Amino acid sequence: AHESFVLDAGSKAPLGTACAARAIDRMMLLRPSLRRAFATDAFSALEHRMWQSGASAYEASFALVTKQAANALLDAAGMHLTRAMAISIVEKKPLESRQGGGKLLDVATGTGVIAAQAAARGAEEVVALDFSTAMLSQAQPVADAHPCVTLMEGDAMALPLPDASFDSVVIGFGLLHLPHPDLALKEAHRVLKPGGKLSFSVWQSPEHSAGMRILQDAIARHGNPGVSLPDVDGAPPLPFFHFACQANAIAALVRAGFGQAACSYEEVPIAAALRDEHELFGMFRTATARTRALLELQSAQQLAAIEEAIAHELRENFKGAWYQGVSRQSGGTKPGCDAYMSDITTGKGPIVSFDGRRSIMVPMPAVVAAATKS
């Protein structure tokens, strides 16, 4: 039987202060009577199983890649650095107040990277929602460090939140992990206040992304590219790069209720900085959902050939100090300058997110689409 994880979408209590949000969170997580089952289709069950079992692997690897889109997502969603937070950072004093910083909903929060950066920008209140309890466990340190952040288990396609309650909604790399992405966009539109902004990110298509191209080429040449994911309502799920097409992204936002003139689309440069030529395969194999599911359907011999093909490509074309005019953080085996730097927001170091001991960099750009609610 499929496990019950989602919150009761019928609970639409007003969302006020951060304390009120936390009260809603505790009530919904601790009272089984307020919980109902997530969608029980095979695609949703697969996605849930993948994220439940892959949360720690994601936090240690792919999160370092996806977090590079966080600033673009927050900018597009109108969640900017507040004056009060800027003063706090420059003068190295405690933040005086978060009032006026705006309320943000982080859908498919994962490890809480976007929620943490929103808090660091001075957001008044952040609700970080995910359907995976394992992912929310990885995000718990974010909530512990930032009292304005509330973790919430819930369904992106049936948000357990009131209408017109957020200034910003962000969906970071979550849309194509849902059986019905249009429903998530409509829900985002519903909970936004008039004038509020939504932004979402997806991976750029293989013809514009070295990392995705390398993976697809290796599977096509050495594996079985014909394996498929479970159907959604009797049809295959949307192609993984569906929303990388500008026309598809804007059309989905319009269907959700946004005006076409209020929509935007941009490419965001992202790169995977790797310790060795086998790490990229390991990331796809252990820290993804749809791709991991497809890889699990390959034979042991096919997997070994796919891994070696990816490693060969990285050794031959992506190792060194520069790639297409982009500098790597540092090469070799000794720490880079990051080992001696401090985080401007905390005064502490080293900045472990930027590990200087990585000599391979693979471009994996993202797309950020956004819209403003009229």
Side-chain angles (χ1 to χ4, degrees):
H2 189 66
E3 296 173 282
S4 296
F5 291 101
V6 79
L7 304 177
D8 181 5
S11 298
K12 305 281 184 170
L15 186 67
T17 64
C19 291
R22 288 179 180 277
I24 293 172
D25 182 31
R26 288 194 295 270
M27 175 183 69
M28 290 183 173
L29 289 178
L30 298 179
R31 290 179 57 190
S33 62
L34 292 180
R35 297 154 72 99
R36 65 174 177 80
F38 272 118
T40 56
D41 62 279
F43 180 86
S44 297
L46 172 69
E47 285 281 345
H48 189 266
R49 175 174 64 84
M50 289 296 174
W51 292 122
Q52 284 291 95
S53 61
S56 59
Y58 177 87
E59 194 278 336
S61 58
F62 240 113
L64 299 178
V65 183
T66 57
K67 71 184 296 183
Q68 296 171 52
N71 282 328
L73 282 164
L74 290 171
D75 288 346
M79 183 57 61
H80 303 294
L81 181 69
T82 64
R83 176 179 173 82
M85 181 59 81
I87 292 173
S88 172
I89 293 172
V90 172
E91 297 185 355
K92 296 185 178 181
K93 295 180 180 179
L95 180 65
E96 291 186 356
S97 173
R98 289 186 175 272
Q99 187 174 1
K103 298 179 181 180
L104 177 134
L105 173 62
D106 178 16
V107 178
T109 188
T111 58
V113 168
I114 293 171
Q117 294 205 25
R121 289 184 175 211
E124 181 177 346
E125 188 176 326
V126 179
V127 175
L129 179 141
D130 206 289
F131 79 147
S132 167
T133 53
M135 278 293 192
L136 290 173
S137 294
Q138 295 294 328
Q140 187 60 50
V142 173
D144 293 341
H146 302 284
C148 67
V149 175
T150 298
L151 302 181
M152 183 176 285
E153 182 188 3
D155 186 348
M157 299 178 295
L159 295 172
L161 296 162
D163 296 352
S165 52
F166 290 91
D167 301 289
S168 304
V169 177
V170 171
I171 309 175
F173 298 98
L175 276 185
L176 266 303
H177 296 294
L178 302 171
H180 301 290
D182 278 3
L183 292 181
L185 295 177
K186 289 178 181 178
E187 279 290 272
H189 182 272
R190 178 182 67 79
V191 302
L192 276 174
K193 300 175 183 178
K197 297 177 182 293
L198 161 71
S199 66
F200 69 82
S201 60
V202 294
W203 295 110
Q204 182 58 286
S205 56
E207 55 264 33
H208 303 292
S209 171
M212 296 300 178
R213 174 187 57 78
I214 291 169
L215 173 69
Q216 283 206 342
D217 286 352
I219 294 176
R221 295 175 182 175
H222 304 283
N224 178 10
V227 297
S228 59
L229 298 171
D231 285 350
V232 175
D233 295 337
L238 285 177
F240 190 71
F241 301 104
H242 178 81
F243 293 115
C245 169
Q246 182 174 0
N248 291 341
I250 300 302
L253 290 169
V254 171
R255 289 194 300 272
F258 297 96
Q260 185 164 350
C263 300
S264 64
Y265 172 99
E266 65 172 319
E267 181 176 297
V268 179
I270 291 178
L274 308 172
R275 298 178 185 86
D276 59 53
E277 61 268 33
H278 294 281
E279 188 175 3
L280 185 63
F281 173 81
M283 290 166 58
F284 283 119
R285 181 72 175 84
T286 63
T288 61
R290 289 177 62 146
T291 302
R292 176 182 162 196
L294 293 175
L295 289 173
E296 286 185 352
L297 294 173
Q298 309 294 323
S299 69
Q301 293 80 5
Q302 289 170 329
L303 282 176
I306 291 168
E307 179 176 9
E308 180 50 38
I310 292 173
H312 179 268
E313 177 72 11
L314 296 182
R315 281 195 302 268
E316 294 298 315
N317 298 311
F318 293 88
K319 199 167 187 178
W322 294 84
Y323 175 75
Q324 294 184 348
V326 178
S327 174
R328 285 165 174 70
Q329 291 163 35
S330 67
T333 58
K334 295 185 179 298
C337 63
D338 55 282
Y340 308 100
M341 296 172 65
S342 296
D343 186 332
I344 192 172
T345 63
T346 64
K348 299 178 181 179
I351 304 179
V352 296
S353 296
F354 296 97
D355 184 351
R357 295 162 292 281
R358 302 185 181 214
S359 60
I360 297 174
M361 180 174 283
V362 184
M364 295 180 62
V367 164
V368 170
T372 303
K373 182 176 179 179
S374 59

